[in-house]
Amino acid sequence: MRIIDYTNASVEDIYGSLSFNDKTMREWLPKSIYKEVKAVQFGEQELTLEVAEVVASAMKDWATQKGATHYTHWFQPLTGLTAEKHDSFISPVGDGTVIMEFSGKELIQGEPDASSFPSGGLRATFEARGYTAWDTTSPAFLKEQGGDLTLCIPTAFVSYTTEALDKKVPVLRSGEALSKQAMRILKVMGNTTTKRIVTTAGPEQEYFLIDKDYYDERPDLQLTGRTVFGKLPAKGQELDDHYFGAIKEKVAGFMKELNFELWKLGISAKTQHNEVAPHQYEIAPIYAATSVAVDSNQLVMETMKKVATRHGLAALLHEKPFAGVNGSGKHNNWSIGTDDGQNLLEPGDDPRSNARFLLFLAATIKAVDTYAPILRASASNAGNDHRLGANEAPPAIISIFLGDQLTEIVEAIAAGKPVPGRSGEKMEIGVTTLPKLPMDMTDRNRTSPFAFTGNKFEFRMVASSQSIAGPNVVLNTTVAEVLSVFADRLEKASDVNAEIQAICKETFNECKKVIFNGNGYSEEWVAEAEKRGLPNITATVYALPEYIKPDSVAIFEKHKVLSKKELESRVSVYMEKYSMQINIEASMMVEIANKMIFPAGNEYAADLAAGINGLKSAGAKTVPTAQLEVLEDVVNALNCLKDESDKLKDVLEAVNAIEDETEQAVAFKERVFTQMAVLRECGDDLEPIIGRDYWPLPTYEDMLFRMG
Ligand code: ADP
Ligand code: MG
């Protein structure tokens, strides 16, 4: 049942029809209140209960008129998913009738009984209740579920003592930190008009689509998001035209509806086929202020799953659903903008905007170089361990791609030499203009984890299933830190231009090692990066502790983004999450090995043996060697499967008994995860040697090359 009738609706009618966005607010709020809400959004004033009352009432009218009966404070606990607790607008009056009510207080604050969400010890004491607080920076929206519409209010989730319990709070705090420091720079450079700085994010999301029927027959995909057994067919990744046509039809239907659903929420995106792996796709949204982009990306992921089911498909967001096939990531496009429409990472046409560009470029390069380990940590999860630093590309080394032309400029500035492309002139920042940088110089290198793409940076390590909150928090905080150091110097300088020149020269010299324009997927690069002294952190369990090293704690605390305690709680939650994930995967493997693969192999072996005996008793003169050989191979693989799954079970038991959280997570990585690879090989060896009809699971060939 559709609550709102979209028959004959134009895209304009559909777009944002379920979003209490700026346009809706203009329509539904008195002008004076609208202005106040904007001022609150911009951090210029505090929200008063009076304003909240009016907004709540308008929101309720707007929502109920569309058919909503419930509202919820929508928040993002550290699980990486979203959570909601529904409350009804309906309020009995006493005479047997009801009215629809929603107060300002209910809009501003909620107290979900969310004690089961991980807090990493922050809520151990009884008074540490959790509260949700309205995040005015991101629009409320209506969510359709089972024919019902619910008003969802984006909120931040904090403890009684205002410690962050979610992914959103640090996003907001780090945005403020960056704005504050960047404003200092603009001011000292003579800007008197800009009021605020906003970071922007546009996450390009990769995912797989497979037939839902196959998905339903793979308990590993359902429980862990990835296949724990399965062998890639020998024929490789080329698609047959017939299948490709059929896939296109079904997928086109999915994409059409996905776009439609996202438009309703006011999220505009481009869906496209990704040529890299079969059945892999990508969706690129229009970028937005980071807090909005964080919310939108969660909605994109949720909507994708929901819409896929309606089309008989399953959307896989895991970083590595299929071994041996390219995995999925999320490219987090990131930039810094001003409230008056300037992009601070865009090279300008005049000397002054060039100087600004070079300074913000220098700040970003230095932040990435200095804090590479925490940036790496922000992109880590159990799934991404199959990509970053595993045997396949991409590597876990953070480097920056600037493109040849910008690199030459940066190198010339560093060396105090004439800038290429200019007739022998030395670059005097703030006086000379930059040679024009063509926009297309940027996107040629797809192998760089951190690439400058014309007017933004693209952080490509982010995990496909992960919230983009963490990576953006680290980017905002580390760049804010470098900007604050620059601002300290500039505010004291007698000649600002000369000081900018000096800062850029120094920074570009210091950070040379992190700039790399070559093939980031090559083996030579790994060796070269080691020579350059760049960190290569190969797994989640080694990356996470970087968050709580003194240098990291110092900047998070200095910019009031996260306290030491909050950082520790996060690391604890993520470590535990990692352990839980590997525990589930390993248990799933043991189960599939023993309950599905072993019986299948055994049945095949028994049939083979019966066939051999049959031939013998029928009086066959020669021993049937072919059958005997196959039988022997099958029996060997079965023995391997049994032995290695027993070993995995034992290791699992031992590791589960470890008390210390970090020690346990490391053991899951070093002992359990490695044994899983051994067991997998036994199962994958068996698959091609037993009869197709015996194999108990949909194969890679089914899932990746067929669509019903
Ligand atoms: P394409 O790769 O299709 O040419 P772009 O490179 O312009 O498109 O954009 C790729 C992604 O980067 C999109 O999701 C887009 O929204 C995002 N993006 C573009 N500009 C910015 C910006 N200033 N800040 C953050 N993200 C941006
Ligand atoms: Mg791009």
Side-chain angles (χ1 to χ4, degrees):
M1 184 186 76
R2 282 257 153 71
I3 295 165
I4 304 166
D5 186 7
Y6 285 101
T7 335
N8 303 325
S10 68
V11 176
E12 287 86 349
D13 291 338
I14 299 164
Y15 195 80
S17 59
L18 297 185
S19 171
F20 200 76
N21 55 16
D22 205 61
K23 179 168 166 271
T24 319
M25 283 206 287
R26 271 179 210 273
E27 261 172 55
W28 286 79
L29 295 178
K31 219 178 185 151
S32 61
I33 298 291
Y34 169 80
K35 274 193 184 154
E36 300 235 18
V37 174
K38 292 312 274 185
V40 173
Q41 269 182 359
F42 298 155
E44 289 162 9
Q45 69 184 61
E46 296 272 310
L47 180 70
T48 64
L49 192 58
E50 210 183 340
V51 171
E53 287 297 352
V54 184
V55 179
S57 170
M59 264 190 195
K60 178 209 66 189
D61 290 346
W62 168 77
T64 53
Q65 175 242 25
K66 300 222 178 225
T69 50
H70 285 70
Y71 70 91
T72 179
H73 275 201
W74 186 73
F75 60 105
Q76 300 173 32
L78 296 179
T79 54
L81 303 169
T82 60
E84 42 199 77
K85 177 187 171 239
H86 293 211
D87 281 304
S88 175
F89 290 127
I90 302 164
S91 174
V93 188
D95 61 354
T97 62
V98 294
I99 53 165
M100 302 297 253
E101 260 187 344
F102 185 45
S103 70
K105 203 163 160 275
E106 286 166 319
L107 168 64
I108 296 178
Q109 199 185 73
E111 194 188 333
D113 177 31
S115 51
S116 56
F117 290 114
S119 75
L122 281 184
R123 296 172 71 195
T125 46
F126 75 96
E127 77 272 23
R129 286 141 86 176
Y131 290 92
T132 48
W134 180 28
D135 167 18
T136 55
T137 65
S138 183
F141 57 92
L142 292 170
K143 194 179 201 176
E144 284 176 299
Q145 246 162 358
D148 271 336
L149 274 183
T150 299
L151 172 66
C152 295
I153 297 145
T155 55
F157 184 38
V158 291
S159 75
Y160 182 67
T161 43
T162 69
E163 271 138 352
L165 297 173
D166 71 349
K167 302 239 171 198
K168 198 63 180 290
V169 172
V171 169
L172 299 170
R173 291 182 188 158
S174 67
E176 274 169 40
L178 189 130
S179 178
K180 190 169 154 193
Q181 301 307 330
M183 280 303 292
R184 287 175 65 198
I185 302 272
L186 294 194
K187 223 179 201 163
V188 85
M189 290 181 79
N191 177 324
T192 53
T193 46
T194 299
K195 289 216 248 4
R196 270 173 307 111
I197 309 282
V198 208
T199 57
T200 47
E204 297 167 81
Q205 171 83 47
E206 289 181 326
Y207 61 102
F208 281 83
L209 284 176
I210 63 160
D211 206 298
K212 178 79 164 56
D213 290 342
Y214 295 138
Y215 177 81
D216 289 342
E217 285 175 46
R218 295 273 333 199
D220 48 357
L221 271 183
Q222 291 176 56
L223 255 93
T224 71
R226 74 180 186 97
T227 52
V228 294
F229 286 105
K231 206 169 169 76
L232 199 62
K235 77 172 173 189
Q237 297 193 2
E238 69 274 357
L239 285 170
D240 143 338
D241 283 349
H242 171 71
Y243 286 136
F244 199 60
I247 291 164
K248 267 189 174 156
E249 266 307 290
K250 213 166 180 174
V251 171
F254 159 83
M255 284 184 175
K256 196 168 164 211
E257 190 172 339
L258 179 60
N259 281 335
F260 178 69
E261 292 298 327
L262 293 176
W263 285 343
K264 289 200 260 179
L265 293 166
I267 300 170
S268 184
K270 265 192 312 200
T271 44
Q272 57 205 19
H273 182 238
N274 190 329
E275 304 293 334
V276 180
H279 290 332
Q280 194 187 33
Y281 304 89
E282 186 183 293
I283 182 168
I286 305 295
Y287 70 95
T290 304
S291 73
V292 178
V294 166
D295 288 1
S296 297
N297 184 244
Q298 292 294 334
L299 288 174
V300 166
M301 291 193 285
E302 269 178 52
T303 310
M304 210 177 253
K305 285 189 182 164
K306 202 162 69 181
V307 173
T309 312
R310 288 188 206 145
H311 289 262
L313 297 166
L316 310 180
L317 289 165
H318 194 279
E319 291 71 23
K320 197 79 175 174
F322 306 103
V325 178
N326 270 290
S328 298
K330 188 137 57 187
H331 294 177
N332 187 77
N333 291 272
W334 176 89
S335 193
I336 316 172
T338 68
D339 63 332
D340 45 357
Q342 303 174 69
N343 183 335
L344 301 178
L345 286 174
E346 183 159 333
D349 293 332
D350 57 281
R352 192 202 273 207
S353 52
N354 280 335
R356 196 183 65 190
F357 163 68
L358 288 169
L359 197 59
F360 279 90
L361 178 75
T364 311
I365 293 174
K366 185 160 168 83
V368 171
D369 184 32
T370 314
Y371 301 103
I374 41 175
L375 200 54
R376 165 69 182 94
S378 79
S380 63
N381 69 9
N384 233 10
D385 276 5
H386 293 274
R387 301 173 65 233
L388 310 179
N391 292 327
E392 294 168 45
I397 305 155
I398 296 200
S399 61
I400 301 177
F401 170 83
L402 292 179
D404 292 342
Q405 205 173 351
L406 190 54
T407 304
E408 273 186 65
I409 293 168
V410 160
E411 280 173 356
I413 294 171
K417 285 194 180 142
V419 172
R422 302 206 63 92
S423 44
E425 268 174 85
K426 266 212 234 167
M427 174 88 190
E428 198 182 330
I429 296 174
V431 178
T432 357
T433 52
L434 276 178
K436 194 117 187 92
L437 299 169
M439 286 292 270
D440 66 356
M441 61 152 200
T442 49
D443 219 8
R444 279 170 301 170
N445 190 325
R446 305 302 296 172
T447 63
S448 174
F450 202 86
F452 180 67
T453 50
N455 58 4
K456 61 185 189 296
F457 276 97
E458 192 168 330
F459 182 32
R460 300 198 178 115
M461 266 187 184
V462 181
S464 55
S465 68
Q466 168 186 39
S467 159
I468 59 163
N472 283 293
V473 167
V474 172
L475 280 172
N476 292 351
T477 309
T478 55
V479 175
E481 166 58 16
V482 178
L483 289 174
S484 81
V485 176
F486 287 1
D488 289 345
R489 281 177 66 172
L490 291 170
E491 281 164 358
K492 277 189 234 129
S494 51
D495 181 343
V496 171
N497 263 348
E499 190 67 7
I500 294 178
Q501 176 107 5
I503 289 174
C504 287
K505 188 173 176 189
E506 267 174 51
T507 310
F508 293 149
N509 268 313
E510 272 168 34
C511 302
K512 259 184 205 152
K513 67 176 188 300
V514 79
I515 296 167
F516 176 65
N517 294 327
N519 180 5
Y521 288 4
S522 67
E523 274 168 41
E524 297 82 59
W525 168 235
V526 178
E528 162 75 16
E530 194 180 342
K531 256 195 249 153
R532 293 188 188 191
L534 298 178
N536 184 0
I537 306 173
T538 54
T540 298
V541 294
Y542 311 131
L544 288 176
E546 296 291 340
Y547 272 127
I548 43 177
K549 289 199 172 156
D551 287 355
S552 163
V553 173
I555 63 161
F556 277 106
E557 290 206 322
K558 173 174 164 190
H559 297 282
K560 300 192 167 47
V561 177
L562 289 166
S563 67
K564 182 163 189 246
K565 211 166 132 195
E566 286 170 324
L567 283 166
E568 282 169 350
S569 77
R570 258 149 231 264
V571 170
S572 153
V573 169
Y574 299 155
M575 282 288 185
E576 198 188 340
K577 193 178 163 197
Y578 175 85
S579 295
M580 266 158 58
Q581 181 71 31
I582 303 298
N583 192 27
I584 295 171
E585 288 185 6
S587 311
M588 188 85 249
M589 277 196 100
V590 172
E591 175 118 355
I592 291 182
N594 291 312
K595 296 211 171 129
M596 297 178 90
I597 298 180
F598 191 90
N602 197 38
E603 198 183 334
Y604 184 65
D607 285 356
L608 269 181
I612 294 166
N613 287 337
L615 283 173
K616 276 189 191 157
S617 54
K621 292 230 166 61
T622 50
V623 183
T625 33
Q627 281 100 321
L628 281 174
E629 270 169 25
V630 176
L631 181 59
E632 199 182 327
D633 287 348
V634 172
V635 170
N636 283 341
L638 282 174
N639 281 332
C640 171
L641 194 76
K642 176 79 175 64
D643 290 349
E644 300 303 337
S645 87
D646 283 350
K647 269 190 221 160
L648 180 57
K649 230 161 65 185
D650 292 345
V651 183
L652 206 50
E653 210 175 287
V655 171
N656 267 308
I658 298 174
E659 298 257 326
D660 181 83
E661 211 162 51
T662 304
E663 203 185 304
Q664 186 181 53
V666 170
F668 265 110
K669 151 82 180 115
E670 292 174 358
R671 294 167 61 191
V672 178
F673 192 68
T674 43
Q675 179 57 26
M676 283 163 68
V678 179
L679 173 57
R680 178 173 189 137
E681 216 168 299
C682 307
D684 289 359
D685 282 347
L686 189 63
E687 186 179 341
I689 57 172
I690 71 170
R692 194 189 152 87
D693 295 343
Y694 291 78
W695 193 250
L697 294 159
T699 63
Y700 271 30
E701 195 169 335
D702 294 330
M703 292 183 285
L704 289 167
F705 299 97
R706 300 207 168 86
M707 196 166 281

